[in-house]
Amino acid sequence: QVQLVESGGELVQAGGSLRLSCAASGSIKTIGTMAWYRQAPGKQRELVTSITRGGTTYYYADSVKGRFTISRDNAKNTVYLQMNSPKPEDTAVYYCNADIVQSDDYFSRSYWGQGTQVTVSS
């Protein structure tokens, strides 16, 4: 089976920095696009940013442009989110998502991690 595990979420002061990681494991043939989402209490889940297998980023949410950066390491099956100058409004549970083809399969499925809590204090 395939699993995505996020790590790196913690309490951080506004203006600091933080890096989240999400590693995929299991019987994996190929990982396509990977993405970071977040959900704050009482709000809808939103797409923060995404990155293709080739390393192209087409989208950042307006609220994080210039502050957050997505990257990936295909050799490690891992995607990262670098969060610079976080603000209190960035407080949320952050989830990673990936399109993954499992070993012995020939189709892609969407997988979610369990989420990691990021809390930004003022």
Side-chain angles (χ1 to χ4, degrees), residues 10-80:
E10 63 182 58
L11 173 65
V12 63
Q13 285 199 310
S17 66
L18 194 64
R19 190 177 78 155
L20 308 183
S21 300
C22 175
S25 62
S27 300
I28 297 170
K29 181 182 294 182
T30 305
I31 302 177
T33 296
M34 304 182 83
W36 286 98
Y37 290 77
R38 67 184 182 185
Q39 187 165 22
K43 292 190 174 183
Q44 298 262 57
R45 182 186 64 189
E46 66 170 338
L47 174 64
V48 178
T49 182
S50 66
I51 186 168
T52 68
R53 179 172 179 81
T56 301
T57 302
Y58 294 110
Y59 174 85
Y60 284 99
D62 288 343
S63 59
V64 308
K65 284 181 180 176
R67 299 187 298 116
F68 291 8
T69 303
I70 190 171
S71 62
R72 66 189 287 169
D73 185 338
N74 289 340
K76 297 180 179 179
N77 289 338
T78 299
V79 63
Y80 306 93

Coordinates of all heavy atoms in Angstrom, one line a residue, residues 10-80:
E10 N 4.7 22.9 13.2 CA 4.9 23.3 14.6 C 4.4 24.7 14.8 O 3.9 25.4 14.0 CB 6.4 23.2 14.9 CG 7.3 24.2 14.0 CD 8.8 24.1 14.3 OE1 9.3 23.0 14.1 OE2 9.4 25.1 14.7
L11 N 4.6 25.1 16.1 CA 4.4 26.5 16.4 C 5.5 27.4 16.0 O 6.7 27.1 16.4 CB 4.1 26.6 17.9 CG 3.9 28.0 18.5 CD1 2.7 28.7 18.0 CD2 3.9 27.9 20.0
V12 N 5.3 28.5 15.3 CA 6.3 29.4 14.9 C 5.8 30.8 15.0 O 4.6 31.1 14.9 CB 6.7 29.1 13.4 CG1 5.6 29.3 12.5 CG2 8.0 29.9 13.0
Q13 N 6.7 31.7 15.3 CA 6.4 33.1 15.4 C 6.3 33.8 14.0 O 7.0 33.4 13.1 CB 7.4 33.9 16.3 CG 7.2 33.6 17.8 CD 7.9 34.7 18.6 OE1 9.0 35.0 18.4 NE2 7.1 35.2 19.6
A14 N 5.4 34.7 13.9 CA 5.3 35.5 12.7 C 6.6 36.1 12.3 O 7.4 36.6 13.2 CB 4.3 36.6 12.8
G15 N 7.0 36.0 11.0 CA 8.3 36.5 10.6 C 9.4 35.5 10.6 O 10.5 35.8 10.1
G16 N 9.1 34.3 11.1 CA 10.1 33.2 11.2 C 10.1 32.5 9.9 O 9.8 33.0 8.8
S17 N 10.5 31.2 9.9 CA 10.5 30.3 8.8 C 10.2 28.9 9.2 O 10.4 28.5 10.3 CB 11.8 30.4 8.0 OG 12.9 29.9 8.7
L18 N 9.8 28.1 8.2 CA 9.4 26.7 8.5 C 9.5 26.0 7.2 O 9.2 26.5 6.1 CB 8.0 26.7 9.1 CG 7.4 25.4 9.7 CD1 8.2 25.1 11.0 CD2 5.9 25.6 10.1
R19 N 9.8 24.7 7.3 CA 9.8 23.8 6.1 C 9.0 22.6 6.4 O 9.4 21.8 7.3 CB 11.2 23.5 5.6 CG 11.2 22.8 4.3 CD 12.6 22.5 3.7 NE 13.2 21.3 4.3 CZ 14.1 20.5 3.7 NH1 14.5 20.8 2.5 NH2 14.6 19.5 4.3
L20 N 8.0 22.3 5.6 CA 7.2 21.1 5.7 C 7.8 20.1 4.7 O 8.2 20.4 3.6 CB 5.8 21.4 5.4 CG 5.1 22.5 6.2 CD1 3.6 22.6 5.9 CD2 5.3 22.3 7.7
S21 N 7.7 18.8 5.1 CA 8.1 17.7 4.2 C 6.9 16.7 4.1 O 6.1 16.6 5.0 CB 9.3 17.0 4.7 OG 10.4 17.8 4.8
C22 N 6.8 16.1 2.9 CA 5.9 15.0 2.7 C 6.5 13.9 1.9 O 6.9 14.1 0.8 CB 4.6 15.5 2.0 SG 3.4 14.2 1.6
A23 N 6.7 12.7 2.5 CA 7.3 11.6 1.9 C 6.3 10.5 1.6 O 5.5 10.1 2.4 CB 8.4 11.1 2.8
A24 N 6.4 10.0 0.3 CA 5.6 8.9 -0.1 C 6.4 7.6 0.1 O 7.6 7.5 -0.2 CB 5.2 9.1 -1.5
S25 N 5.7 6.5 0.5 CA 6.3 5.3 0.7 C 5.4 4.1 0.2 O 4.2 4.4 0.1 CB 6.8 5.0 2.1 OG 5.7 5.0 3.0
G26 N 5.9 3.0 0.1 CA 5.1 1.8 -0.3 C 5.5 1.3 -1.7 O 6.6 1.6 -2.2
S27 N 4.6 0.6 -2.3 CA 4.8 0.0 -3.6 C 4.4 1.0 -4.7 O 3.3 1.0 -5.2 CB 4.0 -1.3 -3.8 OG 4.4 -2.3 -2.8
I28 N 5.4 1.8 -5.1 CA 5.2 3.0 -6.0 C 5.9 2.7 -7.3 O 7.1 2.4 -7.3 CB 5.7 4.3 -5.3 CG1 4.8 4.6 -4.1 CG2 5.6 5.4 -6.3 CD1 5.4 5.7 -3.3
K29 N 5.2 2.9 -8.4 CA 5.8 2.9 -9.7 C 6.2 4.3 -10.1 O 7.3 4.6 -10.5 CB 4.9 2.3 -10.7 CG 5.4 2.2 -12.1 CD 4.4 1.6 -13.1 CE 4.1 0.2 -12.8 NZ 3.1 -0.4 -13.7
T30 N 5.3 5.3 -10.0 CA 5.5 6.6 -10.5 C 4.7 7.6 -9.6 O 3.5 7.3 -9.3 CB 5.0 6.8 -12.0 OG1 5.7 5.8 -12.8 CG2 5.4 8.2 -12.5
I31 N 5.2 8.8 -9.4 CA 4.5 9.8 -8.7 C 4.5 11.0 -9.7 O 5.5 11.5 -10.1 CB 5.2 10.3 -7.4 CG1 5.3 9.1 -6.5 CG2 4.4 11.4 -6.8 CD1 6.0 9.5 -5.2
G32 N 3.3 11.5 -10.0 CA 3.1 12.6 -10.9 C 3.1 13.9 -10.1 O 3.9 14.1 -9.2
T33 N 2.1 14.7 -10.3 CA 2.0 16.0 -9.6 C 1.8 15.8 -8.1 O 1.0 15.0 -7.7 CB 0.8 16.8 -10.2 OG1 1.1 17.1 -11.6 CG2 0.6 18.1 -9.4
M34 N 2.5 16.7 -7.3 CA 2.3 16.7 -5.9 C 1.9 18.1 -5.5 O 2.2 19.1 -6.2 CB 3.6 16.3 -5.2 CG 4.2 15.0 -5.6 SD 5.7 14.5 -4.7 CE 5.0 13.8 -3.2
A35 N 1.2 18.2 -4.4 CA 0.6 19.5 -4.1 C 0.5 19.7 -2.6 O 0.5 18.7 -1.8 CB -0.8 19.7 -4.7
W36 N 0.4 20.9 -2.1 CA 0.1 21.2 -0.8 C -1.2 21.9 -0.7 O -1.5 22.9 -1.4 CB 1.2 22.1 -0.1 CG 2.5 21.4 0.2 CD1 3.6 21.4 -0.6 CD2 2.7 20.6 1.3 NE1 4.6 20.6 0.0 CE2 4.1 20.1 1.2 CE3 2.0 20.3 2.5 CZ2 4.6 19.3 2.2 CZ3 2.6 19.4 3.4 CH2 3.9 19.0 3.3
Y37 N -2.1 21.5 0.2 CA -3.3 22.1 0.6 C -3.3 22.5 2.0 O -2.5 22.0 2.8 CB -4.5 21.2 0.4 CG -4.8 20.8 -1.1 CD1 -4.0 19.9 -1.8 CD2 -5.9 21.4 -1.7 CE1 -4.3 19.6 -3.1 CE2 -6.2 21.1 -3.0 CZ -5.4 20.2 -3.7 OH -5.7 19.8 -5.0
R38 N -4.2 23.4 2.4 CA -4.4 23.7 3.8 C -5.8 24.0 4.2 O -6.6 24.3 3.3 CB -3.5 24.9 4.2 CG -3.9 26.2 3.6 CD -3.0 27.3 4.0 NE -3.4 28.6 3.5 CZ -2.7 29.7 3.6 NH1 -1.5 29.7 4.2 NH2 -3.1 30.9 3.1
Q39 N -6.1 23.8 5.4 CA -7.5 24.0 5.9 C -7.4 24.6 7.3 O -6.9 24.0 8.2 CB -8.3 22.7 5.9 CG -9.8 22.9 6.2 CD -10.6 21.8 5.9 OE1 -10.2 20.6 5.8 NE2 -11.9 22.0 5.6
A40 N -8.0 25.8 7.4 CA -8.1 26.5 8.7 C -9.4 26.2 9.3 O -10.4 25.9 8.5 CB -7.9 28.0 8.5
P41 N -9.6 26.3 10.6 CA -10.9 26.0 11.2 C -12.0 26.9 10.6 O -11.8 28.1 10.5 CB -10.6 26.3 12.7 CG -9.2 26.1 12.9 CD -8.5 26.6 11.6
G42 N -13.1 26.3 10.3 CA -14.2 27.0 9.7 C -14.1 27.4 8.3 O -15.0 28.1 7.8
K43 N -13.0 27.0 7.6 CA -12.8 27.4 6.2 C -12.7 26.2 5.3 O -12.5 25.1 5.8 CB -11.5 28.3 6.1 CG -11.6 29.6 6.8 CD -10.4 30.5 6.4 CE -10.6 31.9 7.0 NZ -9.4 32.7 6.5
Q44 N -12.9 26.5 4.1 CA -12.7 25.4 3.0 C -11.3 25.1 2.9 O -10.4 25.9 3.0 CB -13.3 25.9 1.7 CG -14.8 26.2 1.7 CD -15.6 25.1 1.2 OE1 -15.6 23.9 1.7 NE2 -16.4 25.4 0.2
R45 N -11.0 23.8 2.5 CA -9.7 23.4 2.1 C -9.3 24.2 0.8 O -10.1 24.3 -0.1 CB -9.7 21.9 1.8 CG -8.3 21.4 1.5 CD -8.4 19.9 1.1 NE -9.2 19.7 -0.2 CZ -9.6 18.6 -0.6 NH1 -9.3 17.4 0.0 NH2 -10.3 18.5 -1.7
E46 N -8.1 24.7 0.8 CA -7.6 25.4 -0.4 C -6.3 24.9 -0.9 O -5.5 24.4 -0.1 CB -7.5 26.9 0.0 CG -6.4 27.2 1.0 CD -6.1 28.7 1.1 OE1 -6.5 29.5 0.1 OE2 -5.6 29.2 2.1
L47 N -6.1 25.0 -2.2 CA -4.8 24.6 -2.8 C -3.9 25.7 -2.5 O -4.1 26.9 -2.9 CB -5.0 24.4 -4.3 CG -3.8 24.1 -5.1 CD1 -3.1 22.8 -4.6 CD2 -4.1 24.1 -6.6
V48 N -2.7 25.4 -2.0 CA -1.7 26.4 -1.7 C -0.7 26.5 -2.9 O -0.5 27.5 -3.5 CB -0.8 26.0 -0.5 CG1 0.3 27.0 -0.3 CG2 -1.8 25.9 0.8
T49 N -0.3 25.3 -3.4 CA 0.6 25.2 -4.6 C 0.8 23.8 -5.0 O 0.5 22.9 -4.3 CB 2.0 25.9 -4.2 OG1 2.9 25.9 -5.4 CG2 2.7 25.1 -3.1
S50 N 1.3 23.6 -6.2 CA 1.5 22.3 -6.8 C 2.7 22.3 -7.7 O 3.2 23.3 -8.1 CB 0.3 21.8 -7.5 OG 0.0 22.6 -8.7
I51 N 3.3 21.1 -7.9 CA 4.5 20.9 -8.7 C 4.4 19.7 -9.5 O 4.0 18.6 -9.0 CB 5.7 21.0 -7.8 CG1 7.0 21.0 -8.6 CG2 5.7 19.8 -6.8 CD1 8.2 21.3 -7.8
T52 N 4.8 19.8 -10.8 CA 4.8 18.6 -11.6 C 6.0 17.7 -11.4 O 6.9 18.1 -10.7 CB 4.8 19.0 -13.1 OG1 6.0 19.6 -13.4 CG2 3.6 20.0 -13.4
R53 N 5.9 16.5 -11.9 CA 7.1 15.6 -11.7 C 8.4 16.2 -12.3 O 9.4 16.0 -11.7 CB 6.8 14.2 -12.4 CG 7.9 13.3 -12.3 CD 7.6 11.9 -12.8 NE 8.8 11.0 -12.6 CZ 9.1 10.4 -11.5 NH1 8.3 10.6 -10.4 NH2 10.2 9.6 -11.4
G54 N 8.3 17.0 -13.3 CA 9.4 17.6 -13.9 C 9.9 18.9 -13.2 O 10.9 19.5 -13.6
G55 N 9.2 19.2 -12.1 CA 9.6 20.4 -11.3 C 9.0 21.7 -11.7 O 9.5 22.7 -11.2
T56 N 8.0 21.7 -12.5 CA 7.4 23.0 -12.9 C 6.2 23.3 -11.9 O 5.4 22.5 -11.6 CB 6.8 22.9 -14.3 OG1 7.9 22.6 -15.2 CG2 6.2 24.2 -14.7
T57 N 6.3 24.6 -11.5 CA 5.2 25.1 -10.6 C 4.4 26.1 -11.4 O 4.9 27.1 -11.8 CB 5.8 25.7 -9.3 OG1 6.6 24.8 -8.6 CG2 4.7 26.3 -8.4
Y58 N 3.1 25.9 -11.5 CA 2.2 26.7 -12.3 C 1.4 27.6 -11.4 O 0.8 28.6 -11.9 CB 1.3 25.9 -13.2 CG 2.0 25.1 -14.3 CD1 2.1 23.8 -14.2 CD2 2.5 25.8 -15.4 CE1 2.7 23.0 -15.2 CE2 3.2 25.1 -16.4 CZ 3.2 23.7 -16.3 OH 3.9 23.0 -17.3
Y59 N 1.3 27.3 -10.1 CA 0.3 28.0 -9.3 C 0.8 28.2 -7.9 O 1.3 27.3 -7.3 CB -1.0 27.2 -9.3 CG -2.1 27.8 -8.3 CD1 -2.9 28.8 -8.7 CD2 -2.2 27.2 -7.1 CE1 -3.9 29.3 -7.9 CE2 -3.2 27.7 -6.2 CZ -4.0 28.8 -6.6 OH -4.9 29.3 -5.8
Y60 N 0.6 29.4 -7.3 CA 0.6 29.7 -5.9 C -0.6 30.5 -5.6 O -1.0 31.3 -6.3 CB 1.8 30.5 -5.5 CG 3.2 29.8 -5.5 CD1 4.0 29.8 -6.5 CD2 3.5 29.0 -4.4 CE1 5.3 29.2 -6.5 CE2 4.7 28.3 -4.3 CZ 5.6 28.4 -5.4 OH 6.8 27.8 -5.3
A61 N -1.2 30.1 -4.5 CA -2.3 31.0 -4.0 C -1.9 32.4 -3.8 O -0.7 32.6 -3.3 CB -2.9 30.4 -2.7
D62 N -2.7 33.3 -4.1 CA -2.3 34.8 -4.0 C -1.8 35.1 -2.6 O -0.9 35.9 -2.5 CB -3.5 35.7 -4.4 CG -3.8 35.7 -5.9 OD1 -3.0 35.2 -6.7 OD2 -4.9 36.1 -6.2
S63 N -2.4 34.5 -1.6 CA -2.1 34.8 -0.2 C -0.7 34.4 0.2 O -0.1 34.9 1.2 CB -3.1 34.2 0.7 OG -3.1 32.8 0.6
V64 N 0.0 33.5 -0.6 CA 1.3 33.0 -0.2 C 2.4 33.4 -1.3 O 3.6 33.1 -1.0 CB 1.3 31.5 0.0 CG1 0.2 31.1 1.0 CG2 1.2 30.7 -1.3
K65 N 2.0 34.0 -2.4 CA 3.0 34.3 -3.4 C 4.1 35.2 -2.8 O 3.9 36.2 -2.1 CB 2.3 35.1 -4.5 CG 1.5 34.2 -5.5 CD 0.9 35.0 -6.6 CE 0.1 34.1 -7.5 NZ -0.6 34.9 -8.6
G66 N 5.3 34.8 -3.2 CA 6.5 35.5 -2.7 C 7.0 35.1 -1.3 O 8.1 35.5 -0.9
R67 N 6.2 34.3 -0.6 CA 6.6 33.8 0.7 C 6.9 32.3 0.8 O 7.7 31.9 1.5 CB 5.6 34.2 1.7 CG 5.3 35.8 1.8 CD 4.4 36.1 3.0 NE 3.1 35.5 2.8 CZ 2.5 34.6 3.6 NH1 3.2 34.2 4.7 NH2 1.3 34.2 3.4
F68 N 6.1 31.6 0.1 CA 6.2 30.1 0.1 C 6.8 29.6 -1.2 O 6.6 30.2 -2.3 CB 4.8 29.5 0.3 CG 4.1 29.7 1.6 CD1 4.6 30.5 2.5 CD2 2.9 29.0 1.9 CE1 4.0 30.7 3.8 CE2 2.3 29.2 3.1 CZ 2.8 30.0 4.0
T69 N 7.5 28.5 -1.1 CA 8.1 27.9 -2.2 C 8.0 26.3 -2.2 O 8.3 25.7 -1.1 CB 9.6 28.2 -2.3 OG1 9.8 29.6 -2.4 CG2 10.2 27.6 -3.6
I70 N 7.5 25.7 -3.2 CA 7.4 24.3 -3.3 C 8.5 23.7 -4.1 O 9.0 24.3 -5.0 CB 6.0 23.9 -3.9 CG1 5.8 22.3 -3.8 CG2 5.9 24.3 -5.4 CD1 4.4 21.9 -4.2
S71 N 9.0 22.5 -3.7 CA 10.1 21.8 -4.4 C 9.9 20.3 -4.1 O 9.1 19.9 -3.3 CB 11.4 22.3 -3.9 OG 11.6 22.0 -2.5
R72 N 10.6 19.5 -4.9 CA 10.5 18.1 -4.7 C 11.8 17.4 -5.0 O 12.7 17.9 -5.8 CB 9.4 17.5 -5.6 CG 9.6 17.6 -7.1 CD 8.4 17.2 -7.9 NE 8.1 15.7 -7.8 CZ 7.0 15.2 -8.2 NH1 6.0 15.9 -8.7 NH2 6.8 13.9 -8.1
D73 N 12.0 16.2 -4.5 CA 13.1 15.4 -4.7 C 12.6 14.0 -5.1 O 12.1 13.2 -4.3 CB 14.0 15.3 -3.5 CG 15.3 14.5 -3.7 OD1 15.3 13.7 -4.6 OD2 16.2 14.7 -2.9
N74 N 12.6 13.8 -6.4 CA 12.0 12.5 -6.9 C 12.8 11.3 -6.5 O 12.1 10.2 -6.3 CB 12.0 12.5 -8.5 CG 11.0 13.5 -9.0 OD1 10.0 13.9 -8.3 ND2 11.1 13.9 -10.3
A75 N 14.0 11.4 -6.2 CA 14.8 10.3 -5.7 C 14.4 9.8 -4.3 O 14.5 8.7 -4.0 CB 16.3 10.6 -5.7
K76 N 13.8 10.8 -3.6 CA 13.3 10.5 -2.2 C 11.8 10.4 -2.1 O 11.3 10.3 -1.0 CB 13.8 11.6 -1.3 CG 15.4 11.7 -1.1 CD 15.8 12.8 -0.2 CE 17.3 12.8 0.0 NZ 17.7 13.9 0.9
N77 N 11.1 10.6 -3.3 CA 9.7 10.6 -3.3 C 9.1 11.6 -2.3 O 8.1 11.3 -1.6 CB 9.1 9.2 -3.0 CG 9.3 8.3 -4.1 OD1 9.5 8.6 -5.3 ND2 9.3 7.0 -3.8
T78 N 9.7 12.8 -2.2 CA 9.4 13.8 -1.2 C 9.1 15.1 -1.8 O 9.8 15.5 -2.8 CB 10.5 13.9 -0.2 OG1 10.7 12.6 0.5 CG2 10.2 14.9 0.9
V79 N 8.1 15.8 -1.3 CA 7.8 17.2 -1.7 C 8.0 18.1 -0.4 O 7.7 17.6 0.7 CB 6.4 17.3 -2.3 CG1 5.3 16.9 -1.3 CG2 6.1 18.7 -2.8
Y80 N 8.4 19.3 -0.6 CA 8.7 20.2 0.5 C 7.9 21.5 0.3 O 7.5 21.9 -0.9 CB 10.1 20.6 0.5 CG 11.1 19.4 0.6 CD1 11.6 18.9 -0.6 CD2 11.4 18.8 1.8 CE1 12.5 17.8 -0.5 CE2 12.3 17.8 1.9 CZ 12.8 17.2 0.7 OH 13.7 16.2 0.8

